[in-house]
Amino acid sequence: MDLELRLDAVIIAVTDGAPRVLGVSNPERARWSLPSATLSDEATLDLAVRAAIEEQAGLEVSYVEQLYTFGDVARRQDRRTVSIAYLALVQETELLVGAEWLGYYDLLPWEDHRSGTHPLIESTIEPLLIAWAGQSEERLARVSVAFGDAFDGVRVLDRYELMYEANLVDEWWADQRLEVTSPVFGESMHLDGRRIAATALGRIRGKLSYRPVVFDLLPESFTLLELQRCVEALAGVQLHKQNFRRLIERAGLVEGTGERAAHGGRPAELFRYRPEVQLERSRLGVGQPYR
Amino acid sequence: MDLELRLDAVIIAVTDGAPRVLGVSNPERARWSLPSATLSDEATLDLAVRAAIEEQAGLEVSYVEQLYTFGDVARRQDRRTVSIAYLALVQETELLVGAEWLGYYDLLPWEDHRSGTHPLIESTIEPLLIAWAGQSEERLARVSVAFGDAFDGVRVLDRYELMYEANLVDEWWADQRLEVTSPVFGESMHLDGRRIAATALGRIRGKLSYRPVVFDLLPESFTLLELQRCVEALAGVQLHKQNFRRLIERAGLVEGTGERAAHGGRPAELFRYRPEVQLERSRLGVGQPYR
DNA sequence: GAGCAAATACTCAGATTGAGTATAAGTCGA
DNA sequence: TCGACTTATACTCAATCTGAGTATTTGCTC
């Protein structure tokens, strides 16, 4: 069987209060792709990924981690594409030629619970999934774990895979080579781009509470509210302001700069990330069990 | 550059109160290897791994997850081996031909803190690491985070990598093609087997507290003390018995069978894992912040 | 039946959470 | 220049969770 090895990158930023993923346009196709490269001669995979991102998107990334290796047999049965997916975080940046920031919640609308459970879920998605589950106890249980009562932000992939199996996303129809004849949700990406992006969002959400990852997405200095909005954007839920501030201060992750930023109301103090923390005890994140 | 794609498996069990990893003997070499296979034609990587384990070790595994993909250029510069490592959990089983259960804490003695900080660390390892760090602030910080005051069970790989860089493990000397001329610690494995095993231990320790993974390692029914010993073996720390029991009961992960097991003292009730939990809210583990 | 060993029950102070209320410090329009 | 408005920041409080014990069972063995 023919084998191809690729590196795919999920490059994440948070702009205007929304999480984004970098899509590159694909001359032949209508849909956005993830930036992708064949494995170069760099000594380590991490370096190869950074080089590829630099080259394709002209971006310098502040954080890179390996996400997952996808290797299922492709549609063409004679060929297997193994794709090592990486997750990268960058600060707000300009648009790039041939590339665009896609809204994560345009791809996965049901993941945004910042104003309570997403309306689509109760009105449409959950009923359709329950119909799909039918008599199957196992399916019903999966639906209820993934979409049920308490929103578990980390289960992004579980939810996407249910949507896929229940043919509620475009990709299912494409994989079956069928015309779409029933409602599908969210914008799709080329091949399994959206599945990989979903995996990445789940990973980031999980890390949020025990590693200081947000700071790679924020500018040098920021107010506590900006920090909170950034966490909320990724986590997909709203947080309790006073408690958030309490936690951040207790964690000692940031320090005031003395400067202050003015918006509408009382100006907020600007903070910066304390890089010593990286070295210190570092198993600290911005947690979010508030509310 | 020539490219080879392999699947490696870290197969973990807990027997006699110690965590083990399956090593296979390697006709040409002195050291144990991880079971390894080239990628077969199975439709998914998971299936390929299960098939390889079944074939090489005759084991049926209850749990498999992808661990990490290692792809650094090998010692031979003209060739890159990309190895997709998997983590599998099995219950206590007999020994197998050509395979042996290696003690995790023979490979990584400094990871066992069940009787307090491991004596090797304070007496020997930490001084050597500090000597190695010398003036470098960055190195000193890494040493203190990895080995410092509060033992953070998850940082297994950090610790192994420090040991490697400070040439305190066999593999460093082998990679440099040098005779070992200063003390090295722990039993080594073939190539980067021990590094991969370290990654796996870190992963499992992390999961312990939020996914019910231990149950894949235990027999059908068990006492709460056996459960606790199993968690302790993996976590490498001792737990507070009464609080452990409190947590397990509150979590509702197990149910009594009515049977009881007799040892020395008062017979303990036997429990079984409640499989419904798998489906229910499942983001539950056996936590371990007690003590 | 006394004494041992381990299981199980119960206690308690201190820290952490979730959810508010109260007050301060700016901007902006009348 | 005042008052409304907006956002920041301080403080409170009950409920829960944790860490660390002490106390009581229950079966076994001699």
Side-chain angles (χ1 to χ4, degrees), chain B:
Chain B
M1 178 155 28
D2 204 15
L3 183 74
E4 189 189 7
L5 189 59
R6 303 198 59 82
L7 294 175
D8 290 340
V10 181
I11 306 174
I12 297 181
V14 173
T15 43
D16 306 324
R20 320 262 171 191
V21 57
L22 189 84
V24 295
S25 65
N26 211 318
E28 323 132 46
R29 348 245 182 194
R31 302 199 185 88
W32 296 97
S33 304
L34 293 176
S36 177
T38 54
L39 185 50
S40 64
D41 283 358
E42 301 284 343
T44 71
L45 294 181
D46 277 32
L47 287 174
V49 170
R50 284 180 188 270
I53 294 177
E54 176 74 41
E55 184 187 335
Q56 287 202 26
L59 279 175
E60 189 149 337
V61 297
S62 54
Y63 177 85
V64 167
E65 83 174 44
Q66 189 179 300
L67 183 59
Y68 198 81
T69 298
F70 298 85
D72 299 354
V73 205
R75 291 140 202 70
R76 293 174 48 198
Q77 288 295 325
D78 55 335
R79 182 190 191 85
R80 183 194 289 269
T81 300
V82 169
S83 129
I84 309 178
Y86 273 76
L87 165 59
L89 303 179
V90 303
Q91 291 173 214
E92 311 195 9
T93 27
E94 323 294 304
L95 284 178
L96 316 149
V97 277
E100 192 158 307
W101 288 117
L102 314 179
Y104 241 113
Y105 298 140
D106 295 330
L107 300 171
L108 308 167
W110 56 86
E111 292 297 336
D112 186 1
H113 288 229
R114 282 175 295 176
S115 328
T117 301
H118 195 287
L120 265 183
I121 295 182
E122 283 176 4
S123 71
T124 324
I125 295 181
E126 200 162 22
L128 285 170
L129 285 172
I130 288 173
W132 163 79
Q135 301 302 309
S136 163
E137 280 297 329
E138 189 253 346
R139 285 183 174 185
L140 282 171
R142 284 176 61 202
V143 172
S144 116
V145 169
F147 287 91
D149 25 65
F151 175 63
D152 182 351
V154 171
R155 298 191 175 275
V156 187
L157 186 60
D158 290 358
R159 285 185 282 270
Y160 176 80
E161 299 207 312
L162 276 176
M163 300 286 286
Y164 180 94
E165 287 183 53
N167 56 59
L168 301 178
V169 293
D170 208 45
E171 291 89 333
W172 185 87
W173 300 87
D175 289 352
Q176 308 293 320
R177 305 181 179 292
L178 292 173
E179 284 295 307
V180 177
T181 60
S182 63
V184 291
F185 299 85
E187 285 172 25
S188 63
M189 292 184 74
H190 182 53
L191 293 180
D192 50 357
R194 192 153 56 145
R195 177 185 307 265
I196 299 178
T199 309
L201 185 59
R203 174 75 64 88
I204 277 293
R205 284 180 172 178
K207 280 225 152 130
L208 229 37
S209 40
Y210 67 95
R211 284 289 157 90
V213 276
V214 249
F215 301 105
D216 290 303
L217 297 162
L218 287 168
E220 186 72 22
S221 67
F222 45 81
T223 68
L224 292 183
L225 188 58
E226 283 162 0
L227 174 58
Q228 182 181 344
R229 293 287 178 248
C230 184
V231 172
E232 289 175 336
L234 291 169
V237 296
Q238 238 192 292
L239 307 177
H240 184 284
K241 190 166 167 179
Q242 296 89 326
N243 292 346
F244 180 79
R245 141 185 305 273
R246 172 173 67 189
L247 198 68
I248 295 295
E249 284 177 349
R250 194 170 41 208
L253 288 168
V254 300
E255 62 193 5
T257 63
E259 317 256 308
R260 34 197 65 246
H263 319 293
R266 170 173 170 181
E269 180 163 16
L270 285 169
F271 289 80
R272 79 168 71 88
Y273 177 55
R274 286 187 32 198
E276 311 90 278
V277 170
Q278 194 86 346
L279 305 172
E280 273 170 27
R281 316 188 38 250
S282 164
R283 241 177 109 45
L284 287 170
V286 293
Q288 11 142 358
Y290 353 95
R291 168 150 283 142

